[in-house]
Amino acid sequence: MKISRIDHLGIGVESIEKVLPYFENVLGLSCYAIEEVADQKVKTAFLKVGEVKLELLEPTSPDSPIAKWLEKGGKGVHHVAFAVEDGVAEALLEAESKEIRLIDKTPRAGAENMMIGFLHPKSTVGILTELCEPAK
Ligand code: CMX
């Protein structure tokens, strides 16, 4: 696959409202979008750091993947998202052919009008990995 850059770092939080002052008032970043991804049961807040984005992820339901992760003691960076130039569908197929366990067999819609697909952390040296590209 052809990865061009890190698109964003996903950061899991209990409450976006509670952590935003740290990112905005201490780090001097600014939140430019808040969006709910109903499919993933998360509310997201985006901040830009140069070309890379931070995606704050707050669970909207107790069975959200983020709620489960926080419950198990997860803190800080939840996933790393790479932008792929040759398409998420192709990248997922390639990863699978290299024995990587897929969470998503095919791309699905994520926040920010992106198509996304996740690789399972158990087959990616412990990092929950997202591949993404702008939706066409
Ligand atoms: N990073 C690294 N490891 C993680 C992890 C993460 N974010 N989340 C779970 N794991 C590990 C667990 O610690 C556990 O490891 P152990 O077995 O050693 O304890 C293992 O993965 C569990 O795997 P599982 O039983 O297959 O799955 P879970 O039910 O715990 O769910 C996961 C984990 C990654 C499959 C699930 O969270 C998922 O499908 N994630 C993709 C979707 C997602 O994260 N959506 C939220 C963001 C959406 C967005 O950005 O728009």
Side-chain angles (χ1 to χ4, degrees):
M1 65 186 78
K2 205 166 166 201
I3 286 174
S4 53
R5 60 192 163 79
I6 290 180
D7 183 81
H8 65 268
L9 299 178
I11 296 174
V13 300
E14 300 275 359
S15 158
I16 287 174
E17 197 191 345
K18 280 196 187 146
V19 301
L20 261 188
Y22 168 69
F23 289 96
E24 298 200 303
N25 303 339
V26 180
L27 299 186
L29 303 171
S30 68
C31 170
Y32 66 88
I34 296 216
E35 183 184 343
E36 190 165 330
V37 184
D39 177 42
Q40 288 297 302
K41 300 178 178 155
V42 290
K43 180 171 148 190
T44 64
F46 283 91
L47 305 98
K48 266 202 180 124
V49 189
E51 277 215 352
V52 180
K53 295 173 279 185
L54 299 183
E55 178 189 36
L56 307 181
L57 294 152
E58 174 188 313
T60 54
S61 148
D63 61 343
S64 161
I66 299 300
K68 288 191 200 158
W69 178 76
L70 289 168
E71 228 174 73
K72 282 189 181 170
K75 276 190 177 66
V77 177
H78 172 259
H79 66 265
V80 178
F82 296 101
V84 287
E85 280 183 356
D86 45 353
V88 175
E90 292 79 356
L92 290 173
L93 279 176
E94 184 186 333
E96 192 169 38
S97 77
K98 293 178 176 168
E99 320 256 300
I100 299 296
R101 184 169 151 200
L102 305 183
I103 292 174
D104 299 299
K105 293 270 178 200
T106 53
R108 60 188 167 78
E112 295 250 285
N113 202 28
M114 300 287 268
M115 294 308 290
I116 66 173
F118 279 95
L119 309 181
H120 199 286
K122 286 291 169 192
S123 60
T124 60
V125 301
I127 301 167
L128 175 58
T129 302
E130 178 182 332
L131 304 172
C132 64
E133 65 175 334
K136 283 165 194 136

